[in-house]
Amino acid sequence: MKTHTTIQSLQSTIDSWRSQGQRIAFVPTMGGLHDGHLSLVDFAKQKADKIVVSVFVNPTQFGKNEDFDQYPNKLEQDIALLEQHQIDGLYSPSVEQIYPQGLDSDIKVSEVGDILCGASRPGHFDGVVQVVHRLFEIVKPSIAIFGQKDYQQLLLITQMATQYFPEIELLSQPTIREQDGLAMSTRNQYLSIDERKIVPRLYQVLLQAKQDYLDNALVEVLTNRAKNTLSEDFKVDYFEALDANTLKQITDNTSKIAILCSVYLGSTRLIDNIIFNKG
Ligand code: AMP
């Protein structure tokens, strides 16, 4: 595995693979890799000949008072994990490589970017879509793989890619969890020992809400019940049950449900979701 820090080096390697007819799968990340990221890498290996992973902490998706400066930087450890998983190329660029013209962007997300995480993190999804657009321009993969853990992000990237990169096949993979149900996240490192004991309750509440839905509870009733339970341990940012394809209200035409939530535990913001067929 070679680590590339410049576009030139990465592209000359990718061009040589492509000229040999090899298909390239791409997994963008912000590093601090865990088994969730690595499940995307392992899945990519089943789908393509060459796997490229990027590690880039994108400044444009962080708000002013967010954790950009303290976001875990574990490049050495990430490299060792990616070597073990036998990927072909790591792209670990500087901010200047990604944004030579500055941080402004013309690409704006649809109104789906204004709700849920977008309501609490204004501009966040514009930054996410900006960096993925830029990385797609550089890597030009055949396939790109994302996690359902960031479900709203997945929908917005899919919308962007449909418009600008219809030739790239987007695939997604389910959320990988710790044994106690906590969704793996680089930000879980921020949790104290006591917080780490409490935090699996989030997934329990999601499971209960899904069960309530399947037992025909009204959406308002099940979300209120969930928020009440969560508020014993967390500060609830949002908890919603929506149409998974549109992230709008569930209607008779809805085929898939997304129950999505965001909570704060101390200063750590956590997100999680469950996606299931309406049945
Ligand atoms: P991040 O490094 O947090 O930007 O995440 C990079 C990719 O890994 C995104 O597509 C995420 O949705 C995905 N991802 C993060 N956590 C998990 C997880 N627990 N299970 C599966 N995919 C994940």
Side-chain angles (χ1 to χ4, degrees):
M1 176 189 93
K2 183 162 179 202
T3 300
H4 304 269
T5 55
T6 68
I7 294 177
Q8 292 75 7
S9 157
L10 179 74
Q11 284 186 335
S12 78
T13 303
I14 289 180
D15 286 348
S16 77
W17 292 337
R18 210 176 279 115
S19 68
Q20 295 160 23
Q22 292 181 310
R23 271 162 68 80
I24 290 129
F26 178 46
V27 181
T29 81
M30 297 207 298
L33 300 183
H34 50 66
D35 283 352
H37 298 112
L38 296 169
S39 75
L40 306 186
V41 168
D42 291 343
F43 179 70
K45 282 166 60 185
Q46 298 167 27
K47 295 280 164 192
D49 305 302
K50 296 286 181 187
I51 313 306
V52 174
V53 174
S54 63
V55 169
F56 177 66
V57 183
N58 173 37
T60 68
Q61 70 189 70
F62 288 80
K64 276 201 183 69
N65 299 317
E66 294 183 354
D67 56 343
F68 176 65
D69 290 330
Q70 68 184 107
Y71 198 82
N73 176 344
K74 307 244 160 132
L75 191 59
E76 291 297 304
Q77 195 177 307
D78 293 343
I79 289 173
L81 286 168
L82 292 170
E83 296 265 14
Q84 276 171 27
H85 285 254
Q86 297 178 332
I87 69 151
D88 301 282
L90 167 63
Y91 184 42
S92 164
S94 63
V95 173
E96 291 71 31
Q97 283 274 320
I98 297 292
Y99 301 124
Q101 325 275 13
L103 301 183
D104 290 344
S105 167
D106 295 336
I107 302 162
K108 300 286 173 223
V109 294
S110 73
E111 73 284 352
V112 173
D114 296 331
I115 57 170
L116 306 173
C117 287
S120 345
R121 306 183 68 188
H124 166 66
F125 288 116
D126 288 330
V128 168
V129 163
Q130 175 190 17
V131 75
V132 175
H133 183 283
R134 179 75 180 127
L135 289 166
F136 280 3
E137 261 177 1
I138 295 169
V139 178
K140 302 186 191 78
S142 304
I143 301 171
I145 298 157
F146 296 88
Q148 290 164 12
K149 157 87 174 23
D150 301 278
Y151 189 77
Q152 188 179 9
Q153 163 177 298
L154 173 64
L155 283 200
L156 289 163
I157 290 172
T158 305
Q159 288 178 357
M160 181 279 290
T162 307
Q163 184 176 353
Y164 295 101
F165 301 94
E167 69 285 4
I168 301 178
E169 184 184 0
L170 253 60
L171 299 174
S172 68
Q173 284 292 284
T175 301
I176 302 296
R177 299 179 181 280
E178 304 286 356
Q179 279 195 344
D180 57 14
L182 172 64
M184 291 192 182
S185 164
T186 305
R187 289 191 168 97
N188 291 348
Q189 300 173 29
Y190 298 154
L191 298 168
S192 69
I193 291 170
D194 287 343
E195 288 171 339
R196 179 64 190 79
K197 288 183 193 146
I198 292 169
V199 76
R201 292 179 198 165
L202 180 57
Y203 185 51
Q204 296 307 320
V205 173
L206 276 170
L207 289 172
Q208 180 64 55
K210 173 181 172 183
Q211 192 55 52
D212 288 350
Y213 185 87
L214 296 173
D215 292 342
N216 297 318
L218 291 173
V219 164
E220 201 191 330
V221 171
L222 71 89
T223 53
N224 281 338
R225 178 181 180 191
K227 284 190 229 179
N228 282 337
T229 311
L230 284 170
S231 60
E232 289 168 18
D233 298 302
F234 305 95
K235 183 168 158 269
V236 181
D237 180 8
Y238 63 78
F239 192 101
E240 305 237 19
L242 297 169
D243 181 309
N245 292 318
T246 59
L247 293 187
K248 298 200 161 98
Q249 298 306 311
I250 296 165
T251 68
D252 290 346
N253 294 327
T254 299
S255 58
K256 222 169 39 153
I257 309 289
I259 303 183
L260 308 111
C261 66
S262 158
V263 297
Y264 288 89
L265 187 53
S267 55
T268 306
R269 185 171 182 278
L270 301 140
I271 60 170
D272 201 350
N273 65 68
I274 297 193
I275 314 294
F276 56 96
N277 288 330
K278 196 171 166 194

